Amino acid sequence: MATTPPADGSVGSTRNPESEPSSSGRTLLIRAIVLVTAVLGLNYIVWRWLYSINWDAWWIAIPLVLAETYSLIDSLLFGFTVWKLKKRRAPEAPAGLTVDVFITTYNEPLDLVLTTARAAKNIRYPHKTWILDDGNRAEVRAAAEAEGIGWITRSADWKDMPRHAKAGNLNNALMSTDGEFLVILDADQIPDPLLLDKTLGYFTNEKMALVQTPQVFINVPESDPLGSQAPLFYGPIQQGKDGWNAAFFCGSNAIIRREALMQLGVTRYVTEIELALHKALKTSDKVIAKAKKTLGPGNERVSEALDLVAKDLRRVRRRLRNGDGISEVTYEFQQRVAAVTRSLVAADIAAFHEDLASLADLDIEGLDAGLQDASASTPGLAVVDDNALDQLAQRSWSPLAAIDAVRVLIESVNADRSGEAQAVMPMATISVTEDMATCMRLHALGWETAYHHEKLADGLAPEDLNSMLTQRLRWAQGTIQVMFRENPWAQKGLTLAQKLMYWATMWSYLSGFAAVVYLAAPIIYLLFGILPVNSISTEFFVRLIPFLLVNQLLFVVVGKGVKTWRGQQYSLALFPVWIRSITSAFGNVYLGRSLDFAVTPKTLQQDKQLRWDLVKPQLWAMGLLVVATIVGIIRLAMGEADLLGTSVNIVWVIFDLVIFSVIIEAVRYRGYEHYQADIAKAKARQDASR
């Protein structure tokens, strides 16, 4: 490997698990446990809905049963994912393929970028290595040239245009290179020399668009206090998704077929232009209809003009259905509308200017710019701004104003996408994380993906809590943006299984709301004695406990020795991050609010100062849990509480506090170097005491 794994063994072996024979017995065991989990879970949740809700306390009883239903669905989605675990053996890499290795960077330290670039240059299979420097730094360019490594930054076409973060950086590089295959590496992901030898063989399948390999980090202690390693995802979950042809692109450590990306870019370009035109046509119909309603007697000539435009709109639709070119159809339509406009009286022209000028933030010149493309909340899409369309459709129009507004609407569908640096954007730009949306679009076009379960790069994880929270928030925001903008259930071309696989990942980020309920329920009972269930009976335990045990057994069997506890802790402990990701993504997509983007720092950002301020919601939750426990014990001692109910809820509180203890550890964590120094000191003290 290019970098030696740490001695504590946190990274694990580099041998290829795919060389191990697949166990049909283990597969049958997993499926049996999945079925039992489903039966027990459904048995419990149906009973909860039908017989156990305390309707006198519906305000907590209903949220709790909804949270439990959410958790059951989450469990079923996981079971469906691992139903078809796929173990692959890569074919031998064919000779003669051309490959570009892309190392994306913005503001990472120069030595870090060069370490990755040198390792990339040393990849054994013939290729070209490029540093994609989105920061346009002279020192990076000079160092790259000195190393004989290619350097690419944004072209002049990107000046004053939407940047689209990493997706824009990659899209720019795609137009400057010509390799048949691309390797995408983040600046901190040091590749193994055999990366291409181990993965290019998959592309002998001409339908294969992408091969993803794991992301494993070398600067993480065995205890993994920040939850950086994701052995369950980069293992059983990705293998399970792979079984359904839904292995995810994860932004780095992936190999992609250029042909697939370029086909995607062209297809999306055409689709988005068509979408924009159809929206413009729909709004045009409404504008013309409203204008006709304002006509009084004696306006037959104007009425005929409006009818002619409406007839032309129908002709445009018909020609588009017949496959005629968009540019030709819209140009001819604009010429006919111009002729109609010239035939009307000059007085109406003056009225049009006065009417249109009264629109807030819209004028004749500004309308062209305002309707050419999506709003800032949906950068990069050639679609008409829905807010502007609503304004236009609801406005009371004079006849000539209506006709000219229709002309401007159709002209706003600009086939050259003048509001973008480049017309074709292969990497999706609808999200702050480009990977999921791009992969889902490739699947919708019929391409295949694969997950190669072998560590072929050594990465660097965030070194402090603030950096980790920044990273997790961006991941979650990007996923939720995709859910809002291109929900998998609405995507044609995806199989049902693929839709479920994408939805399962999106669904997981809703856990923040369920976590709030799971925290509130025991607190409310211990403080006020209010139960969300009719009673804590034997039937309650008989239905719930077997489900919980079998569900945990599924993780144990699927993980096959993989430690999943840290991931389970953070799925609950980061509930404020998950909630914020949803609210901020909603504000961005539907309200046009800015969504801050920050590159995850690759070096330690805090040293001595402990950032308790970053986890205030969790600390408040822990404080309330402790206070509630004390009050519950006092109420029990005074005979105001039930022993069984109090005991069950105290156990629940203890479980929550154990979960949240990871936050304390995360705040106190001072980075991997400090961890190693502490280990060395402890070892020295141990040796001295002998």
Side-chain angles (χ1 to χ4, degrees), residues 237-266:
I237 291 179
Q238 275 281 53
Q239 287 178 309
K241 291 181 184 295
D242 195 14
W244 299 106
N245 185 28
F248 279 13
F249 173 33
C250 301
S252 182
N253 305 6
I255 301 85
I256 311 178
R257 187 189 296 269
R258 179 185 291 269
E259 178 192 354
L261 280 179
M262 298 311 296
Q263 182 194 13
L264 174 60
V266 172

Side-chain angles (χ1 to χ4, degrees), residues 56-57 62 127 212 235 250 269 294 336 383 412 437 492 548 551 562 594:
D56 291 335
I62 295 300
H127 66 285
Q212 179 67 52
C250 301
Y269 165 76
T294 65
R336 290 193 297 271
V383 296
S412 72
K492 297 179 180 178
L548 295 178
N551 191 47
V562 169
S594 175

Side-chain angles (χ1 to χ4, degrees), residues 595-608:
L595 191 65
D596 292 335
F597 177 84
V599 177
T600 304
K602 303 301 190 299
T603 56
L604 183 65
Q605 302 298 299
Q606 65 187 58
D607 189 3
K608 296 180 180 179

